[in-house]
Structure formats: structure tokens, C-alpha cells
Amino acid sequence: MGKKIIPIIFILLLIMGINVHNPVLAAGNSNEDMTRAEVYVNQAIDLASKGDLSGAGKAYDQFNKTWRQIEEGIKADSATAYRDIESNMGKVVYALTIKKQDQVLVALKDLKAVNDKFASGGYPKEAGFKEEDITLDEFIMLLQETKKEVKEQNQHDALEGIKKASDSWLSVEGVVVAQSATVYSDSERDLVTIQAMLSDNPPNYKEANKTIDNMINYLTPLANKSQYTYWDAAMILIREGLEALLVVIALMSFVKKSGEGKGKAWIWSGVLSGLGVSVILAIIVKFIISSGAFGNNNALIGGWTGVFAAVMLLYMSYWLHSQSNIADWNRYIREKSQTALTTGKLISLGVLAFLAVFREGTETVLFYIGMASQIKLQSLLIGFLIGAAILGILAYLMVYVGLKLPLRPFFMVSSIIVFYLCIKFTGMGIHSLQLAGLIPTTNSVSIPSIDFFALYPSWESTIPQMILVLGALLIILFKNIKSKKLITSTNNNI
């Protein structure tokens, strides 16, 4: 029984481990923490007044490092103070970037003033910091503000703006995907592309401005819609559930073909765990920490689960392909004493089902929560039931057709489907990690954007997909050569 909770433990560890790279100081008095941190601001002011901007920059960097360790305490005490300090820190970074002594001094003194105000208790105590979800109109305004910074070629503030938009994307993506899957995919692609353009050295302001303009143009018509139908709700479940369904059905068909009854229990355990954790996490995000505050972590979770699932799908695809020879399959059954799957493979089936359902399930639930205020409850429920019914029919047809296929075509078709999902999950996973800022992005106009394969115009996500395809072709070629040699050798012996 304990083994069946492996998927849940795995994902909880993953979620808890996401922010281990950002240590936080032990809880203490945030006013005293700020007083200690401000020593570095005073050093920076002293050095800047002497004309040593390089030294001032290094001193400010020390303040910034300390700030990252104490900011949670300040954020919990006063949201207003937190925002004022962050805003003035941005001004300091910009002033140091353009290397103008007078502006550096002004920015540092302004930062010192808000720090002093907080340390002396000048900011009122608040109930903590909670970023509110934003509307699509407000999201478009974020893009417009970022565009303004891009036009002024203010790299730091432009980057901060597009990162804020990326973090806020979770608040509005449900509204977008309910109306257009294409616009949803384009938006996620362009958010990553703009960050890469602004991070370049030198920044590509011209293309960044053009891409932001394009985003504003295709998102604006969607912001005008205030009511959704049951079909909008149904399409969300169909679109988001199809990839997970393909994985689960491929696994179910496989265990039925192998005659391994225990495999079904593991798969259903993974499916139900994935659904349960998805709902729990989505509710926590929506009603406790908000979509806006969770935006970056959502991309990290989606990215890592996508990558892990892709690795497991790659193995599954290779294994299915290797069993497409009937003689090999019969020999495998005999070696396992009529037990088609080892315990390790049974566990992996459950984990893979969990990852596939969890990755798609969390977004689906968040989409529904996001559009709940703009659709009648009756329409939402009807749409959900229609989507579930369509997925159920597709599942039945897939299983029925799969069981009717002879062994060799079954394994060949299954391996192709699973390999396709491996390629798509790889692209989606890496792209999500790029959206979170964990992996850099190198854009290329020579790479097309193809949603069906989750192909994005960046080398970091495309190269692994190309390696997978090339590796698969080499394996097939090697097996064909080996098979021909075996046939030739057999004929010669005869």
C-alpha cells in the first residue's frame, strides 16, 4: 500500500524543492534585518560620492544579496514598504547601468530613505503581502508599460516588466485558452521570446517592441469577451486532457495486451493521485497564495514534470518498439514466467500516469477556476460533462482498436504514439523552464513554431527534440541492418 503513494510523495518533494536555490534567513526582527543590510547602501553612497562607481556597484550587490534573504520578512510586515524598496532598487540598478554619478547618488539616497523609514517603523503594519490575480485588461496594461520601457531602451525595467507579466500569466491563461488555443500557445511562446530579446547583449529592442505589439494586438479582442458558453468549458477539458489521455490509454492497452492485471491498479492509482493533487494544488493557488504569486513556480512544476515524463516516455517507447517482434515478445513472456511486467515497471507505469495527469490536470483546474466568474455555473458543469463524455468515447475507441490489433502492429503503433508524446513533453517541459527563467533562450528565425509537436523557435528546446528524432532513426536503422544480417545468415545456413 505504501508504494502506491510514491507519486504523491514525489510531487510534494518536487514542489517543496523548487525554491531551494533561494535561501531565506531565519525568522527574526525585519526592522533589525534592514538596519544590518543598510550598511552596504551606506558604503555604496560613500564610494559613489568619491566617484568610485565600480566599488559602489559591488557594495550595492552585497545589499541586493542580503535583501533576497530578508525580503520575505519585510513583505510579511508591509506590502507597501516591500514595493517601495523594490522600486528604488530598480532605479539604483538603472543608474549604475548608465554610469552617471549624480543619478547613482540620487537613486542610492532614495533607497536609503525608504530603508530608514521601514527600519524606524515608518510604514504601517499590514496583514502580509498577497499579490492579487489580475484581469486580461490589466495584463495587457503590463505589456503596454513594458513596451514603454523598451522604447526608452531601459533594459532593467523592461526585463522586470516582462518577468512580471510572465508571473501574472497564470491569472489570465484560463480566459485566453477558453477562446483560442492558438493565441494561448503564441502568448507562452512570445513571453519567452521577449525575455530572450531583452536579455541579449546588446538587447534587441526593435524585435522586442514588435513582438510586444503583436501580443497586445492578438490579446486585446479576447479581453472584450465577458461571458463564456458550455462549449468553451468543454473545449478546455478536451484540449488539455487529450495528451494525458493518450498516455493513460497507451499504458492501459499495453497491460491488457500483456495480461498483467496488477498494471491496471498502478495506472489507476497514478491517475487518481494526479487528479487529486491537481485539484488540491489549484485550490491552494487560487484561494491561499493567488495565481499571480504562484506564476513562476507553476512554470517550474510544469517544466520539471514535463521533462521527467518525457524521459519515462522515451524509455517506454523504446521498450514497446523492442517488443514489436513476436518472437522477442514470446521469449520475454517465457523469461518472466508468464508475468509480463516486473515490479519496477509496474511502479513506473503508475508514476508516468501520475505525471501526465498532474501536468495537464493542474492547468485544467486553474483554467476552470479562472473562467468561473465569467460563465454560468450550469454552463460550466454542462461543458465539463460534455468534455468528459467526448474524452470517454475517445478512450473507449482507442482501447477497442488497440486490442483488435495484432501484436506487431499494436506495439509499433503504441511506440510511435508514445514517442510523439515524448517529443511534445520535451518541448513543453523545456519551454516551461524557459518561461520560469531557469533555462536561457536563444531565439532563431529559422526554427518554425509548430504547436502539434510543441516546437518553439529556440535552440534550447529544439536541439533535444532533434536529438530524440535522430536517435530514434539511428536505432531503427541499426535494427533493420541487424535483422537483414540475421535473415541472410539464416538463409546461408539453410
Side-chain angles (χ1 to χ4, degrees):
M1 184 67 184
K3 291 182 179 178
K4 292 189 178 182
I5 63 171
I6 287 175
I8 299 177
I9 295 174
F10 167 78
I11 202 65
L12 290 176
L13 289 173
L14 173 64
I15 295 169
M16 290 189 293
I18 281 171
N19 286 317
V20 295
H21 64 277
N22 188 20
V24 179
L25 292 181
N29 188 305
S30 56
N31 301 76
E32 293 177 2
D33 289 341
M34 177 54 74
T35 300
R36 287 193 292 270
E38 201 176 15
V39 170
Y40 299 115
V41 177
N42 293 331
Q43 290 177 5
I45 291 173
D46 183 52
L47 291 166
S49 63
K50 296 175 182 177
D52 185 3
L53 296 186
S54 176
K58 291 177 181 177
Y60 171 77
D61 287 341
Q62 289 300 313
F63 169 78
N64 184 53
K65 289 178 182 177
T66 307
W67 167 252
R68 295 307 165 201
Q69 296 175 341
I70 67 173
E71 63 176 324
E72 292 302 322
I74 282 82
K75 187 186 291 186
D77 281 350
S78 173
T80 305
Y82 175 80
R83 291 190 182 97
D84 286 352
I85 294 167
E86 285 267 297
S87 174
N88 281 280
M89 287 173 66
K91 293 175 183 177
V92 172
V93 171
Y94 175 68
L96 287 168
T97 302
I98 61 176
K99 297 181 180 178
K100 289 191 176 181
Q101 183 182 10
D102 56 339
Q103 290 191 31
V104 170
L105 274 170
V106 169
L108 284 168
K109 288 177 180 177
D110 286 346
L111 176 60
K112 176 177 169 57
V114 295
N115 290 348
D116 285 341
K117 182 179 177 180
F118 175 80
S120 62
Y123 282 96
K125 291 284 184 179
E126 295 169 332
F129 185 91
K130 183 179 186 296
E131 296 180 30
E132 298 298 327
D133 294 342
I134 66 171
T135 64
L136 186 54
D137 280 325
E138 291 169 332
F139 182 82
I140 293 170
M141 285 180 64
L142 279 178
L143 293 177
Q144 290 170 336
E145 290 168 7
T146 304
K147 180 183 173 184
K148 181 181 176 183
E149 300 297 340
V150 170
K151 279 189 173 181
E152 295 176 1
Q153 298 195 359
N154 184 346
Q155 184 184 23
H156 176 268
D157 287 353
L159 268 172
E160 287 298 310
I162 200 63
K163 287 177 181 176
K164 186 177 180 182
S166 296
D167 289 345
S168 302
W169 173 242
L170 187 59
S171 298
V172 301
E173 61 178 0
V175 174
V176 175
V177 77
Q179 299 181 65
S180 173
T182 301
V183 172
Y184 171 74
S185 299
D186 289 348
S187 298
E188 291 212 323
R189 177 200 66 206
D190 288 344
L191 283 170
V192 172
T193 302
I194 294 164
Q195 286 192 49
M197 290 172 175
L198 294 175
S199 300
D200 279 348
N201 189 17
N204 190 343
Y205 292 115
K206 182 179 178 181
E207 289 300 318
N209 185 65
K210 182 179 176 182
T211 308
I212 293 173
D213 252 343
N214 192 37
M215 279 194 75
I216 292 171
N217 289 337
Y218 62 61
L219 285 172
T220 299
L222 275 57
N224 298 327
K225 186 170 182 179
S226 58
Q227 194 72 29
Y228 296 96
T229 67
Y230 66 86
W231 187 244
D232 292 321
M235 285 307 298
I236 285 180
L237 184 60
I238 294 168
R239 278 196 301 262
E240 298 305 310
L242 196 54
E243 274 97 4
L245 177 67
L246 285 171
V247 174
V248 173
I249 293 304
L251 298 179
M252 283 290 189
S253 299
F254 167 67
V255 296
K256 278 192 175 184
K257 208 75 171 178
S258 67
E260 177 54 80
K262 292 180 182 178
K264 292 180 187 178
W266 278 98
I267 295 170
W268 278 115
S269 174
V271 169
L272 294 176
S273 298
L275 288 172
V277 178
S278 295
V279 172
I280 293 169
L281 182 60
I283 291 173
I284 290 172
V285 169
K286 190 65 184 179
F287 299 108
I288 299 179
I289 61 177
S290 90
S291 300
F294 189 69
N296 188 61
N297 282 346
N298 181 64
L300 285 170
I301 291 173
W304 285 121
T305 51
V307 170
F308 291 148
V311 171
M312 298 185 73
L313 285 167
L314 177 63
Y315 170 75
M316 197 70 189
S317 175
Y318 174 77
W319 194 85
L320 286 167
H321 179 75
S322 67
Q323 304 303 320
S324 60
N325 185 292
I326 296 175
D328 290 342
W329 173 251
N330 290 333
R331 183 168 58 253
Y332 181 80
I333 294 292
R334 287 195 302 272
E335 288 173 357
K336 299 302 177 183
S337 301
Q338 303 303 314
T339 301
L341 298 172
T342 62
T343 302
K345 283 191 175 68
L346 288 173
I347 295 173
S348 70
L349 293 180
V351 174
L352 181 52
F354 170 81
L355 290 172
V357 172
F358 173 76
R359 193 189 190 288
E360 304 300 331
T362 303
E363 287 201 342
T364 303
V365 177
L366 286 170
F367 288 162
Y368 278 129
I369 291 175
M371 71 184 296
S373 61
Q374 295 171 289
I375 185 174
K376 294 178 181 177
L377 179 60
Q378 182 182 3
S379 297
L380 181 63
L381 293 175
I382 291 173
F384 177 82
L385 292 174
I386 290 174
I390 292 173
L391 285 178
I393 292 169
L394 289 173
Y396 175 78
L397 291 174
M398 289 177 189
V399 172
Y400 181 78
V401 172
L403 291 177
K404 289 290 183 180
L405 288 174
L407 270 178
R408 180 174 173 78
F410 168 77
F411 280 116
M412 291 297 292
V413 171
S414 296
S415 67
I416 291 170
I417 292 174
V418 172
F419 184 68
Y420 156 72
L421 292 171
C422 171
I423 293 173
K424 187 163 187 177
F425 274 52
T426 299
M428 292 165 64
I430 294 174
H431 184 73
S432 292
L433 294 176
Q434 288 176 317
L435 191 63
L438 192 65
I439 293 179
T441 305
T442 307
N443 296 316
S444 175
V445 294
S446 61
I447 303 173
S449 182
I450 305 174
D451 185 51
F452 184 76
F453 293 105
L455 182 65
Y456 299 96
S458 81
W459 288 114
E460 287 81 3
S461 60
T462 302
I463 288 176
Q465 290 177 308
M466 292 172 63
I467 291 172
L468 286 173
V469 173
L470 183 61
L473 292 174
L474 289 174
I475 289 172
I476 292 172
L477 182 63
F478 174 76
K479 284 206 163 194
N480 285 340
I481 293 172
K482 185 178 178 181
S483 178
K484 287 180 181 179
K485 285 184 177 179
L486 184 62
I487 292 171
T488 303
S489 175
T490 304
N491 291 336
N492 290 338
N493 289 335
I494 293 174

